[in-house]
Amino acid sequence: MIQQLSRFISNLLSPLLMPTYGVIIALWVSILCYQSLSTRLTVLFFIFGTTCLLPLLLLFAMQTAKMLPSKLVDHKERTLPYTCAIVCYLIATYYLTSVHAPTWLTGFMLGVATTTLVSLIINLKWKISAHAAGMGGIVALLYFLHFIHMEAFNSLWILCLAIIMSGVVGSVRLYMQRHSLAQVLAGFVNGFLCVHILINIFY
């Protein structure tokens, strides 16, 4: 039961879903919530397709072509999937720029790409948690929206919830023996710093 719940949480908070969750937060929690629903949904669906569905399709294609094993157990085997994800995130960044999204939102997406690049480099020598990195990026985004007063309502409780869920995700990855505590903490710091720095540079 605990194993199944851990797997469910791990899948629900997959790194590939974090850009989508970030855009949901941006479009429904920040002052962007006053944009029309059709505009917000169009942006959301494009981001979801580009940053989640497309990388999954590319991963499936590479595994079908025997370019990658069915299970990426060795952290060095993640170089190609990470590279594909980075390209997809850069496409999403360009899209946000083309639709004249706020610069801080563009900075968030570029921060996600930077986080993945740092994870890729670190993974060449040492395994780092991408799940924790994704949660770190979400916490950084919510931190920015709340303390720069870019939110449409008081979102402190959402920030607190994201911090709690970061702990839950980290605990799940430890329970599943996918990472050590150091790898989880390093992942969170990586995601938080990359997104925080890029958002503030663009803002």
Side-chain angles (χ1 to χ4, degrees):
M1 177 64 180
I2 298 180
Q3 186 71 26
Q4 293 176 334
L5 179 60
S6 297
R7 189 176 296 109
F8 172 76
I9 294 174
S10 187
N11 290 333
L12 182 65
L13 298 176
S14 165
L16 288 179
L17 286 171
M18 289 305 145
T20 299
Y21 291 153
V23 169
I24 289 174
I25 290 170
L27 296 178
W28 272 269
V29 175
S30 80
I31 56 176
L32 293 177
C33 70
Y34 299 113
Q35 294 286 332
S36 68
L37 180 61
S38 61
T39 298
R40 286 180 287 157
L41 288 177
T42 299
V43 172
L44 177 61
F45 288 147
F46 184 90
I47 295 299
F48 174 70
T50 305
T51 63
C52 184
L53 293 183
L54 182 55
L56 285 175
L57 288 173
L58 292 173
L59 178 61
F60 176 75
M62 287 185 288
Q63 290 174 333
T64 302
K66 306 299 182 182
M67 296 173 63
L68 289 172
S70 57
K71 293 185 178 181
L72 304 178
V73 179
D74 189 343
H75 58 92
K76 294 182 180 180
E77 296 171 342
R78 301 181 182 183
T79 300
L80 192 54
Y82 273 28
T83 302
C84 291
I86 292 170
V87 172
C88 291
Y89 297 157
L90 291 177
I91 293 173
T93 301
Y94 176 78
Y95 168 76
L96 289 174
T97 302
S98 69
V99 297
H100 306 292
T103 53
W104 56 264
L105 182 52
T106 303
F108 164 74
M109 193 59 64
L110 191 57
V112 172
T114 304
T115 299
T116 309
L117 176 60
V118 172
S119 296
L120 185 157
I121 295 171
I122 294 176
N123 262 286
L124 295 176
K125 295 293 184 180
W126 186 63
K127 192 176 182 181
I128 188 172
S129 175
H131 280 77
M135 289 305 303
I138 293 297
V139 171
L141 174 63
L142 284 165
Y143 178 88
F144 168 80
L145 293 177
H146 180 71
F147 288 100
I148 305 298
H149 305 295
M150 201 70 69
E151 58 196 357
F153 55 88
N154 190 344
S155 62
L156 181 60
W157 67 273
I158 303 179
L159 173 59
C160 293
L161 179 61
I163 293 173
I164 293 172
M165 290 309 299
S166 297
V168 171
V169 170
S171 299
V172 163
R173 301 304 287 176
L174 291 174
Y175 175 79
M176 297 174 69
Q177 298 183 336
R178 299 295 176 86
H179 296 286
S180 67
L181 179 59
Q183 292 166 349
V184 169
L185 293 175
F188 182 86
V189 171
N190 173 32
F192 183 89
L193 287 181
C194 287
V195 171
H196 178 72
I197 291 172
L198 267 296
I199 285 180
N200 281 279
I201 287 176
F202 275 72
Y203 177 68

